[in-house]
Amino acid sequence: MGDTFPRGRTAIAGLATFGVGEMPGYTSMELTAQAALLAIADAGLTLPDVDALFICQPDDFFAGLSFAQYLGLQPRYTDNNRTGGSSFMSHMAVAAMMLDAGYIDCALIAYGSNQRSNGGKLATKITSDQWDAPYAPIFPLTSYALAAARHMHEYGTTRADLAAVALAARAWANTNPEAFAKGPLSLEDCLSARMISTPVSVRDCCLVTDGAAAIVMTRIDRARDLARTAVPLLGAAAATWWNSIVQAPDVTVTAAKESGARAMAMAGVSTSDIDTAQLYDAFTINTILFLEDLGFCPKGEGGRFVSSGAIAPGGSLPVNTNGGGLSCCHPGMYGLFAIIEAACQIRGDAANQLPDVNIALAHGNGGTLSSQATVVLGSMATL
Amino acid sequence: MTSPEAHWREALAQGRLLLQRAPDGSVVFPPRLAAPGTGDALEWFEASGAGSVYSLSWIQRKPPAPAYHVALIDLDEGSRLLSRVEGVTPETLAIGMRVEAFVDQGGDVPLLLFRAVPEI
């Protein structure tokens, strides 16, 4: 049985980010709630309109319950799905089907973290499993390093190719006022950067920032009459093939291959229809793997694809047009920020607005290349 | 009935590396109650310990602490695990290197490690 999905019958009606960069003194829930209230206002709705909550927080396993309490809502449905940074794409899939079924009327999907101001390190309670932990890999970084090392061995990918991902992200960030890491960055800077877990250097790693994000989803008939341009959800799929990277049959192939193909099939689009892709770049190797697994270039060619300039400003496939997790923001889990950048590109109010964006893809990654989830957003013209 | 994980750890303490085999011939690690994907019964067997390096990463530390590494090892009988190869340097450890397992009994708990097999 294939996927059935309510293509274009639900939409992002409002969105917001808050506190991207540094917000000392705020708790994660405060940042999240502020983004939520801004997203609700952006849609032209009010807090009592929200009847379903979807959230995954870095520091609160009961975040859905805490969020309902903080906002003072008694939701008809509360979802705390926790598949890492891809959670928010999964939240959208569930929200779309619940909205379309009439089970809920207005979904609020939110995330926020104060990890930069509150310690300055990735805030997670997740660790290596008991089979891997005795050998002391850095969690989660070394998992990505093992994938990158194998990709380099098998396909001739180079550290300069990895650097091309970081350089493209910085080029986009330099013209995005919200981006946290701006300024010149050279290939030499990347190649001489401090090594952490070979072949991953500090320049191959995403930022550690504060920040919050939220979106509001309704059925399309309501969204089209609200304050902002509605951004219909055309397809959404999540795939899980393993948890520990050690269990991957091939560490250079992720479940993005499945989630991307399914989401694009639901949307009725192929890679050539996609005007911009927002790919969860926790590490530079992610962008390369996802470009391959989503079908934007053949397996093994991702390094050469990014080194050609294809994903940078002026390239054939604008990727991570806000600067991504590498140079815009990465408050622990980036998925919702990828969704928001894709939606802004469709609405026409992105900082680095591209011309004529009708189809935008946002891809989320969770764990150690483990959980993969893809959403395809369209303009009203695609319905 | 012993838990599969406990059974595996008891064998390791005796210096033996156990794996499990499913009816379709596929080899399973880490130990499970049933074959992944099918739920079929599994059979234990003792692995030869021979394998090769599938991927690796050297983890840097603040000097003077030396870098250490982790390696993904493909066992010849099937299955992959994370471990490290003793007695190697960044210059000598490489993907594809042949290795053999041994059990380090020197720590708090027995630890599965590998050493390089000299090229013949």
Side-chain angles (χ1 to χ4, degrees), chain A residues 135-136 146 150 197-198 248, chain B residues 54-55 57-58 60 68 80 112:
Chain A
Y135 307 99
L146 290 166
R150 184 70 197 184
S197 183
T198 61
Chain B
Y54 173 78
S55 191
S57 180
W58 285 90
Q60 313 301 309
Y68 66 97
R80 182 179 298 151
L112 182 67

Side-chain angles (χ1 to χ4, degrees), chain A residues 156-193:
Chain A
T157 306
T158 64
R159 284 196 58 216
D161 294 333
L162 299 178
V165 175
L167 295 174
R170 180 58 59 88
W172 288 113
N174 279 337
T175 50
N176 176 8
E178 192 178 44
F180 183 71
K182 290 200 276 278
L185 181 69
S186 70
L187 176 60
E188 183 50 36
D189 293 336
C190 294
L191 295 180
S192 62

Side-chain angles (χ1 to χ4, degrees), chain A residues 130-132 134-138 142 145-147 149-150 153-154 195-198 246-252, chain B residues 5 8-9 29-32 53-60 68-70 72 80-84 95 111-113:
Chain A
Q130 75 270 31
W131 302 102
D132 304 345
Y135 307 99
I138 301 173
T142 299
L146 290 166
R150 184 70 197 184
H153 173 81
E154 214 161 309
M195 190 55 72
I196 300 175
S197 183
T198 61
V246 180
Q247 294 297 306
D250 179 342
V251 295
T252 70
Chain B
E5 289 198 24
W8 186 88
R9 291 188 194 286
F29 181 86
R32 285 180 175 83
V53 176
Y54 173 78
S55 191
L56 63 94
S57 180
W58 285 90
I59 296 161
Q60 313 301 309
Y68 66 97
H69 78 275
V70 295
L72 290 173
R80 182 179 298 151
L81 46 76
L82 190 76
S83 184
R84 70 170 176 268
I95 291 176
L111 188 63
L112 182 67
L113 296 176

Side-chain angles (χ1 to χ4, degrees), chain A residues 18-27 31 113-114 116-117 209-211:
Chain A
F18 178 72
V20 165
E22 285 179 326
M23 286 301 282
Y26 279 73
T27 67
L31 294 172
S113 169
N114 65 353
R116 183 176 183 86
S117 296
T209 67
D210 300 332

Side-chain angles (χ1 to χ4, degrees), chain A residues 189-241:
Chain A
D189 293 336
C190 294
L191 295 180
S192 62
R194 181 172 60 85
M195 190 55 72
I196 300 175
S197 183
T198 61
V200 174
S201 80
V202 67
R203 288 287 168 220
D204 294 303
C205 300
C206 62
L207 303 169
V208 174
T209 67
D210 300 332
I215 61 173
V216 175
M217 288 179 68
T218 67
R219 283 180 289 280
I220 190 71
D221 56 347
R222 190 179 191 190
R224 73 195 325 161
D225 294 333
L226 288 173
R228 303 302 297 260
T229 304
V231 181
L233 175 61
L234 305 182
T240 304
W241 289 356

Side-chain angles (χ1 to χ4, degrees), chain A residues 47-316:
Chain A
L47 186 57
D49 290 317
V50 173
D51 65 357
L53 297 180
F54 297 76
I55 190 169
C56 174
Q57 292 286 79
D59 52 359
D60 182 356
F61 287 170
F62 279 172
L65 318 185
S66 310
F67 197 35
Q69 172 181 293
Y70 194 92
L71 295 176
L73 294 177
Q74 297 172 357
R76 298 162 78 176
Y77 183 74
T78 301
D79 187 324
N80 212 153
N81 175 341
R82 190 176 197 93
T83 57
S86 62
S87 302
F88 314 94
M89 284 73 176
S90 294
H91 291 162
M92 285 189 78
V94 175
M97 287 180 278
M98 296 188 107
L99 285 164
D100 187 56
Y103 192 91
I104 60 173
D105 291 325
C106 180
L108 173 62
I109 304 174
Y111 174 80
S113 169
N114 65 353
Q115 64 165 15
R116 183 176 183 86
S117 296
N118 184 26
K121 287 187 173 172
L122 172 69
T124 179
K125 291 174 179 168
I126 317 292
T127 59
S128 298
D129 72 21
Q130 75 270 31
W131 302 102
D132 304 345
Y135 307 99
I138 301 173
F139 184 88
L141 192 152
T142 299
S143 300
Y144 294 85
L146 290 166
R150 184 70 197 184
H151 200 277
M152 292 167 80
H153 173 81
E154 214 161 309
Y155 300 114
T157 306
T158 64
R159 284 196 58 216
D161 294 333
L162 299 178
V165 175
L167 295 174
R170 180 58 59 88
W172 288 113
N174 279 337
T175 50
N176 176 8
E178 192 178 44
F180 183 71
K182 290 200 276 278
L185 181 69
S186 70
L187 176 60
E188 183 50 36
D189 293 336
C190 294
L191 295 180
S192 62
R194 181 172 60 85
M195 190 55 72
I196 300 175
S197 183
T198 61
V200 174
S201 80
V202 67
R203 288 287 168 220
D204 294 303
C205 300
C206 62
L207 303 169
V208 174
T209 67
D210 300 332
I215 61 173
V216 175
M217 288 179 68
T218 67
R219 283 180 289 280
I220 190 71
D221 56 347
R222 190 179 191 190
R224 73 195 325 161
D225 294 333
L226 288 173
R228 303 302 297 260
T229 304
V231 181
L233 175 61
L234 305 182
T240 304
W241 289 356
W242 62 76
N243 185 12
S244 167
I245 191 87
V246 180
Q247 294 297 306
D250 179 342
V251 295
T252 70
V253 182
T254 74
K257 196 171 170 183
E258 178 194 329
S259 67
R262 285 172 50 208
M264 284 186 264
M266 293 171 198
V269 302
S270 64
T271 51
S272 60
D273 299 315
I274 289 164
D275 299 309
T276 178
Q278 310 301 327
L279 312 177
Y280 191 147
D281 54 344
F283 300 94
T284 51
I285 187 65
N286 295 35
T287 305
I288 289 171
L289 294 177
F290 300 152
L291 286 166
E292 295 171 349
D293 293 338
L294 294 169
F296 291 105
C297 64
K299 179 51 66 183
E301 292 300 313
R304 285 169 283 278
F305 186 77
V306 297
S307 280
S308 75
I311 67 170
S316 58

